[in-house]
Amino acid sequence: MTEQQADHQLWIEKYRPQTFAEVKGHTEITKRLQAFVEQKNIPHLLFSGPAGVGKTTLSLIIAKTLFGDNWHHNFLELNASDSRGIEVIRETVKDFARTKALGTELPKIILLDECDALTKEAQQALRRTMETYTRTARFILSANFSSKIIDPIQSRCTIFRFKPLSQEDIKNIIMNISKREGLKIDDKTIAAVSTVSKGDARRAENILQSCSAISKTITEKLVYEIVSAAHPEEMKEVLQLAVQGSFIQARDKLLDVMLKHGLSGEEIVKQIQETVWDLSITDQAKMQLIEKCGEIEFRMVEGSDEFIQLEALLASFVLAKK
Amino acid sequence: MTTVNLPFIDKYKPKTLQQIQGQSLALQELRTAVVSKKPALLYGPVGSGKTASVYALANDLGYEIIEINASDVRNKDAINSIIGSSLQQMSLFAKGKIILVDEVDGIAGNSDRGGVPALVELISAAKQAVVMTANDPWDSKFTPLRKVSRLIEFVSLSPQVIVSFLQQICQQEKIQASEDVLKKIARKANGDLRSAILDLESLGRGTLTIAADDVALLDDRLREQSMTDALRLVFKSTKPQETLQAFERVDADLSEVQLWVEENLPREYTGQDLYQGFTSLSKADVFNGRILRWQHWRFLVYINTLLTAGISLAKQEKTPGFVEYKRNSRILRYWMAKQKRLKLQGILQQLPGTMHGSSRQLMKEVLPYVRFMARKNKQFSFGLEKEDLLYLVK
């Protein structure tokens, strides 16, 4: 291995498929999208599905295939959850869509990520924007859950539902990278990586690259070590602290987790409710706590300070019987 | 002296305009405005004598004052019902009336929908002088108010003016304090006579001399002191009804009180009591949300009850021991976390090759691994600047 090897690029970018042929999995979706591109007629698209299955990658491939070298000028990637408010999006889209695409008669392409993070009102505004610029730009909306997208938008888009990648797809990705990077990995470890990545190619690639930072020979143990370092069971720790009666530490850690990941109160309640089953308390207590989660989620909708509601929820864990 | 027990701030409230120093220009304008029944907007820093001047003037003129302050309901309906009728009629006993709307800054853009237009409407319909006070009248939401009223500026009081006022009090109360000490208090007050008088009182009550060292003890803790006293009453008392007024004398609104209660509840209560206490807080917050949504400010009564009697009743028996209360730092932590996230997002964007995907996903699915690699292997620097790399690794 030469020093050149440390090209410092993240594998998730280095091994991102550049053509339809390179895409692993999603055979049906890829075929249909390819047909759109060949007919040079892209409708508005809605990609729904979990993270790391190829929604952004396929959007990029569409743009690259359509526009060739000019793709950069004719493709805009926006983040609904970052841009904070539809106004910003509308202005950016307006500026981008006002001019015709470079070197082609085709409409430009705008990828709007995390559309389910937009409020209903923002989505209405987005719908109008989509209609206004439909001659000069086509939208690819990406969302984790299509159910959070309002009907008027859904009816204007061709919807593609992405499933998590299959174990086989992930395995192919791992083998391809291992070969090109000179990694030593046995079948058992490949199976471990594909299990922990839960159909998310990005996670599988990140795990592999992290392993390679330590050793070229990848073991099962190393994989698990990395996963628990990258995704610690923070919520479980929070709830265990509360059950033990260390309320102040529990709430401190809860706030930490919430702020670190920028989670909303609703997302936290969801995580808590999923984690309740992993606690060592009686089943009756678990059931009561889950009911409490629902009550708190309801109060959160009615109330004004999410964290106070979360603390109230946490306080009920203090009473849980072992 | 039989009035010893009145707080200094009430005891030495100016009875006539002549007792107010350092604002001669403003006072003249105020008098003219009130006598000619022109609406006036007094503005200037806290404790510069805006409200006191209005009361002193009313006293001089033999007028009656109808006051609304920030804690009252401020939306259109409420303003109409409170002062609408009184504006139209003449006073029975007093020679005239002044409608005093204290601290109009308190009219928030959203929460007091219609408050400003309602005020403007009433000012134009008024048969008496309307006097408003504000700390910062230049907020754009006050533009309509500025158009219809005369702006009168109260300047920040100079230390000399404050010292001379404090000297008068010391004389009356027979408190020995050197000019140096009073100057220190005045400087600390920063133009706010009210806080200077409060400081003097807390140092001077009970003792006859104030030494220079005593002043050093004075700081913002004084304000927190009244808050912690109130909290202690709520947490320790076994008679819920006694706690209802606990926060009335504290210079803080209920949302600040709520933060204090939230922070310190688990320091006082455990187990079942803790659970009950948070149930009370949670319900108070629901009312808060309803106020914001429906503008039904009367819900404040329930918030107050939940935060006082509700918390007090949550305990099964009196909790023993002295507990040090802490200030709530949650809001500050929100801000700091946001800055940190922005910085980390910025660093992620600098990674080689365009990073695709939403930054939320990058933070969740990429950052932990990049951090892991950079920590474990120095070769994995991803071409980042040294400073950024250090921030990432730490």
Side-chain angles (χ1 to χ4, degrees), chain A residues 8 77 79 82 114 202-203 206 213 231 251-252 259 267 292 299 302 304-305 307-309 311, chain B residues 258 262-263 275 282 285 290 293 330 333 341 352 356-361 365 369 377 379:
Chain A
H8 300 314
E77 187 177 352
N79 218 313
D82 292 350
E114 299 221 345
R202 177 157 40 199
R203 188 176 282 192
N206 278 328
H231 307 281
R251 97 169 154 186
D252 203 48
L259 295 179
E267 287 166 304
K292 192 80 199 167
R299 286 193 199 163
E302 284 273 294
S304 72
D305 187 333
F307 197 72
I308 287 204
Q309 299 300 345
E311 283 173 281
Chain B
Q258 185 169 312
E262 175 212 339
E263 174 64 36
Y275 172 75
S282 150
D285 177 59
R290 289 176 182 157
R293 222 153 286 135
R330 184 153 61 89
R333 277 172 74 184
R341 274 211 304 278
H356 297 288
S358 75
S359 56
R360 247 167 82 93
Q361 280 172 6
E365 285 297 331
Y369 295 100
N377 191 333
Q379 283 200 321

Side-chain angles (χ1 to χ4, degrees), chain A residues 67-129:
Chain A
F67 303 120
D69 291 342
N70 281 331
W71 76 274
H72 255 297
H73 304 285
N74 301 328
F75 180 80
L76 175 69
E77 187 177 352
L78 279 176
N79 218 313
S81 64
D82 292 350
S83 320
R84 282 293 149 233
I86 193 72
E87 279 310 313
V88 183
I89 294 177
R90 217 191 285 171
E91 283 305 307
T92 323
V93 166
K94 205 165 100 186
D95 282 345
F96 178 75
R98 204 170 39 196
T99 54
K100 278 185 123 184
L102 198 68
T104 168
E105 288 299 304
L106 299 170
K108 295 178 172 183
I109 290 191
I110 297 170
L111 168 63
L112 197 53
D113 232 325
E114 299 221 345
C115 282
D116 39 5
L118 291 173
T119 60
K120 292 229 162 11
E121 292 75 25
Q123 290 190 28
Q124 288 290 356
L126 174 63
R127 191 203 80 190
R128 282 193 293 278
T129 310

Side-chain angles (χ1 to χ4, degrees), chain A residues 269 273 287-303 306 309-310 312-313 316, chain B residues 275 278-279 282-283 285-286 290:
Chain A
V269 173
Q273 171 243 314
M287 204 45 231
Q288 278 170 8
L289 287 172
I290 285 174
E291 198 187 321
K292 192 80 199 167
C293 286
E295 174 63 24
I296 289 295
E297 193 170 331
F298 174 70
R299 286 193 199 163
M300 226 179 245
V301 177
E302 284 273 294
E306 293 184 334
Q309 299 300 345
L310 290 175
L313 179 55
S316 56
Chain B
Y275 172 75
F278 266 111
T279 303
S282 150
K283 287 176 180 164
D285 177 59
V286 168
R290 289 176 182 157

Side-chain angles (χ1 to χ4, degrees), chain B residues 127-140:
Chain B
K127 293 195 165 62
Q128 289 90 2
V130 177
V131 180
M132 293 157 286
T133 72
N135 295 129
D136 173 22
W138 307 114
D139 192 307
S140 60

